[in-house]
Amino acid sequence: MPELPEVEVSRRGIQPHVQHQRITAVRVHQPRLRWLVPETVQQLVGEHITGVSRRAKYLLLHTAKGELIIHLGMSGKLRVVHRETPLQKHDHVEVELASNQVLRLNDTRRFGAVLWQPADAPLALLSKLGPEPLTEAFTGEYLYQYSRERKNAVKNFIMDNHIVVGVGNIYANEALFMSGIDPRRSAGRISRARYERLATAIKTVLVRAIERGGTTLRDFTRTDGQPGYFKIELAVYGRGGETCVTCHSGLREIRLGQRSTVFCPRCQS
DNA sequence: ATGTTGACCTGTAAGC
DNA sequence: TGCTTACAGGTCAACA
């Protein structure tokens, strides 16, 4: 579920409930996530959460001592509920607050992560990441310069976190369709003008998805509900074999870097 | 160095 | 009906 928009929507959803709260307990029911949840997460107890930020698809709960880092992997979801709410299957980690609410990470597939980053010892994990797509540092010119001599497919190129973060499989497909670029095309053989369109398309699809998700933020703590996840209308992803919204010819589905890739052979070159 | 593949894990749907 | 296989939002380590 989580691509960058979902992570950002989760951030906005939990922030009002956790910011300025004191942490009263941290309970780990299943430490075996992508990495073993370290005992040092207990450092959080007694600390105040000063803010919630996002870097790539990582969420950071800030305290004076350091940050709790949360990644949602493929199937992770965050919920804020009253402490008495019964645990659900796959609720692996919970952060209890002085408000008597708890932040819970539910992650079926356990590809997510919960890590502790001491204020004086930043994790290497975050240091190698490329620029955020929704900043001015990320431009068509940047993609153009970075891609020279690169031979891999442009779709794999834009999904590489060292190049730019937060472009997952769904929105990579969508952005390439929007900018009329064949996902198989070698990254090093794409013009500056086309990279301008691609960078703009990436920003557009991400912003649009965040906006759609944001409309349900008020329901974030619904007991039944997911935080503002949304069904945005997708032009290509999940529509292999169906009709192109632009030219009405058939969409083609292939595998690229082990990931499902859908494009319109007529509109994308 | 850059590019590709396997691995992690559970659940669901499709195929036989 | 039941068993097997493929696939699903991510991304790191280990290879070629």
Side-chain angles (χ1 to χ4, degrees):
Chain A
M1 211 159 297
E3 288 209 25
L4 183 145
E6 290 85 344
V7 178
E8 176 60 22
V9 168
S10 294
R11 187 191 73 75
R12 296 179 188 185
I14 67 170
Q15 183 167 35
H17 302 284
V18 305
Q19 190 162 17
H20 309 312
Q21 286 291 319
R22 183 171 51 85
I23 295 168
T24 50
V26 177
R27 286 185 287 275
V28 179
H29 306 290
Q30 168 56 279
R32 300 183 61 173
L33 304 183
R34 172 127 217 249
W35 297 286
L36 200 66
V37 179
E39 298 284 347
T40 48
V41 295
Q42 295 302 330
Q43 297 273 321
L44 275 172
V45 177
E47 292 297 298
H48 281 82
I49 297 172
T50 55
V52 185
S53 66
R54 177 186 59 74
R55 175 72 174 107
K57 294 171 189 164
Y58 297 92
L59 286 174
L60 290 79
L61 300 192
H62 294 264
T63 76
K65 277 191 186 171
E67 291 84 43
L68 186 76
I69 296 179
I70 300 172
H71 195 287
L72 301 179
M74 292 274 252
S75 54
K77 299 170 180 66
L78 289 173
R79 291 173 63 207
V80 179
V81 295
H82 190 272
R83 54 180 291 182
E84 305 283 321
T85 307
L87 283 179
Q88 292 188 359
K89 195 175 184 183
H90 306 303
D91 277 347
H92 302 315
V93 178
E94 52 184 343
V95 177
E96 186 179 277
L97 307 166
S99 61
N100 285 327
Q101 287 192 306
V102 283
L103 174 67
R104 286 186 179 156
L105 172 65
N106 182 286
D107 184 6
T108 309
R109 292 177 71 182
R110 290 198 270 128
F111 288 167
V114 174
L115 297 169
W116 172 249
Q117 173 170 262
D120 58 358
L123 298 181
L125 200 63
L126 301 181
S127 66
K128 300 173 187 173
L129 297 171
E132 289 287 328
L134 299 180
T135 61
E136 291 182 4
F138 178 67
T139 63
E141 180 66 20
Y142 167 83
L143 283 179
Y144 177 77
Q145 293 298 340
Y146 216 118
S147 61
R148 296 308 90 184
E149 310 302 317
R150 294 293 193 119
K151 293 190 162 72
N152 58 342
V154 62
K155 176 161 178 270
N156 295 340
F157 177 72
I158 60 172
M159 288 179 70
D160 183 339
N161 276 341
H162 301 100
I163 314 298
V164 57
V165 302
V167 183
N169 196 37
I170 293 176
Y171 299 114
N173 279 296
E174 295 299 312
L176 286 162
F177 174 77
M178 185 180 288
S179 51
I181 299 170
D182 187 322
R184 300 167 296 181
R185 185 177 272 271
S186 176
R189 294 204 200 160
I190 291 175
S191 69
R192 185 181 261 115
R194 290 191 130 207
Y195 271 124
E196 291 294 345
R197 286 168 56 189
L198 179 55
T200 301
I202 288 170
K203 290 169 191 272
T204 302
V205 296
L206 293 178
V207 167
R208 190 175 294 170
I210 291 170
E211 285 172 352
R212 299 300 161 91
T215 63
T216 58
L217 276 180
R218 73 186 66 188
D219 294 332
F220 189 82
T221 58
R222 266 185 340 194
T223 50
D224 64 325
Q226 301 310 324
Y229 293 161
F230 43 82
K231 274 287 187 218
I232 188 173
E233 61 285 0
L234 299 172
V236 287
Y237 181 81
R239 299 193 63 238
E242 294 179 37
T243 301
C244 172
V245 295
T246 304
C247 76
H248 308 296
S249 63
L251 295 176
R252 187 169 165 208
E253 179 156 3
I254 60 172
R255 303 225 120 224
L256 217 47
Q258 305 168 310
R259 310 302 295 277
S260 169
T261 303
V262 187
F263 65 103
C264 175
R266 190 159 153 189
C267 297
Q268 294 173 259
S269 58

